[in-house]
Amino acid sequence: MPTIRANGLDIFYEEAGKPTDPVVLLVMGLGTQLIAWPNAFVDGLVAAGLRVIAFDNRDIGLSTHLHGARAPHPLFALAAQRFGLPFRTAYTLRDMAADAVGLLDALGIDRAHVVGASMGGMIAQHVAAGWPDRTLSLTSIMSSSGARGLPGPTPELRKLLMGRPADTSRDAAIAATMKVLEAISYPDAAREADAYQTMAARAYDRSFDPLGTRRQLLAIITDRQRTALLATIAVPTLVIHGAADPLVPLANGEDTARRIPNARLEVIDGMAHDLPPSQVDRLVALLAEHATGVSEMRAAA
């Protein structure tokens, strides 16, 4: 089992590609395991001459879960934020960014193209701001700057995400995950009919820890200093966002691109809060072009 030790945690990772190729570090989103990166996406990056490393964030998948760490309901964190009260979390997004850098350390990798999706984009932003010497480029996908006033999910979607089913059986958990995936994903004709069920079942059987996901969510809610950090990011940055994203609406990606100097924004019409099968080739092309451009700039410097 490919596991390394970083920040006192066991971090599970997988990699593909030649050891001598430039590294792309993939950081996944809230409560989502590394298996959510489509195989075709990873294979496409490898075919483009990149070494791809994906990992499970802390509290998810096969990495360390902080069982027993405090995990109050997110509404308490939101209330504390609204009234300017202190609120202690088990860890921060910066801590999670340090996990990513710790993985690079353990693998002997000096620098990487850091690519994050959703919460992973927030973590990737922290890596680029806090460890610029370790970051070749940043790609923030369907993510946000965390600025106040940006639009969030609809009330119906928020209720679906915040609800806790009384039935905690495997079947019920899989059914609940399928509902969420269907609600946030683009209705892509290229997606297999049983894709949501297959992913939900695979994720449940690999690791199921709702409190771990809650601790990650608390880290997101309380991460209110990131907007100032974005202005300090100096590495080449690509922001990718789906025009139909119902969870993190497009305005969030637009705001992120505005706040990071010289960031490039790519809007994909046929994409919501997912990596739709029909858009994988375009996503790969964008990332490969971004990474290649950075390499060319470094070679010319």
Side-chain angles (χ1 to χ4, degrees), residues 27 29 32 48 51 54 75 78 112 127 132 219 230 241 261 272 276:
V27 192
T32 308
R51 176 186 175 190
L75 288 177
L78 291 169
V127 173
L230 296 188
H241 217 100

Side-chain angles (χ1 to χ4, degrees), residues 76-131:
F76 289 107
L78 291 169
Q81 184 182 96
R82 180 176 181 182
F83 294 106
L85 300 174
F87 188 88
R88 184 171 57 87
T89 58
Y91 49 82
T92 66
L93 290 186
R94 182 177 172 82
D95 292 330
M96 299 180 79
D99 296 344
V101 176
L103 174 60
L104 296 179
D105 289 339
L107 297 177
I109 297 169
D110 290 333
R111 291 188 170 194
H113 298 281
V114 185
V115 178
S118 196
M119 178 189 74
M122 303 172 195
I123 294 170
Q125 292 165 22
H126 270 288
V127 173
W131 292 268

Side-chain angles (χ1 to χ4, degrees), residues 124-206:
Q125 292 165 22
H126 270 288
V127 173
W131 292 268
D133 59 323
R134 309 301 299 279
T135 311
L136 285 169
S137 71
L138 165 65
T139 300
S140 181
I141 305 173
M142 55 189 178
S143 193
S144 174
S145 67
R148 293 182 182 276
L150 290 171
T154 63
E156 295 78 16
L157 183 53
R158 191 185 301 274
K159 182 178 179 181
L160 175 63
L161 295 171
M162 298 291 280
R164 292 187 66 184
D167 185 350
T168 57
S169 67
R170 178 181 183 275
D171 288 347
I174 290 173
T177 300
M178 289 172 60
K179 282 186 179 180
V180 172
L181 291 175
E182 185 173 5
I184 66 175
S185 300
Y186 193 80
D188 191 350
R191 183 179 283 111
E192 294 183 4
D194 62 349
Y196 298 141
Q197 182 175 7
T198 298
M199 177 54 68
R202 187 181 175 199
Y204 182 93
D205 291 338
R206 189 171 182 266

